[in-house]
Amino acid sequence: YLTRDEAWDELKRSGAVTDKHDRDLPGRKLTKICADIGVTFYDTVPDFRAKPPTETRFFPINKHFSPAGNAFVGEILTQFLRSKEFVR
């Protein structure tokens, strides 16, 4: 539900979540905590939302990244690390 709008919308339709629930809160909290202690953090959730998958990025049983999910995260983190000049 964090990365897929349609899953979030289904949860809302079912009544499992309401408008008072904020699915972006975990990312905002973690971003602030990391900033407060000087740790570099990159929230991948917006990237997942912005680029719909062409294949499954998570295993359905345990929600771990599939090979496609690992590749996608690798691409976006590489871009981030290069933008910060942490890697070339």
Side-chain angles (χ1 to χ4, degrees):
Y1 69 92
L2 286 177
T3 63
R4 294 178 38 243
D5 292 332
E6 64 276 5
W8 181 252
D9 292 341
E10 178 60 33
L11 286 172
K12 286 175 81 174
R13 279 191 297 277
S14 74
V17 298
T18 65
D19 288 337
K20 73 176 183 170
H21 293 95
D22 180 358
R23 72 179 179 159
D24 296 319
L25 184 61
R28 284 198 313 275
K29 281 188 168 186
L30 191 52
T31 298
K32 182 180 180 334
I33 290 167
C34 289
D36 288 350
I37 62 173
V39 172
T40 300
F41 171 73
Y42 184 80
D43 186 359
T44 61
V45 170
D47 294 285
F48 274 90
R49 289 185 194 158
K51 188 174 179 187
T54 56
E55 56 186 307
T56 302
R57 292 182 181 150
F58 300 94
F59 289 114
I61 293 173
N62 59 20
K63 304 302 182 197
H64 286 92
F65 289 131
S66 67
N70 279 307
F72 181 71
V73 171
E75 290 170 17
I76 59 178
L77 289 182
T78 297
Q79 291 173 8
F80 172 73
L81 293 172
R82 285 184 176 150
S83 75
K84 297 293 183 186
E85 298 183 353
F86 291 150
V87 297
R88 295 179 190 208

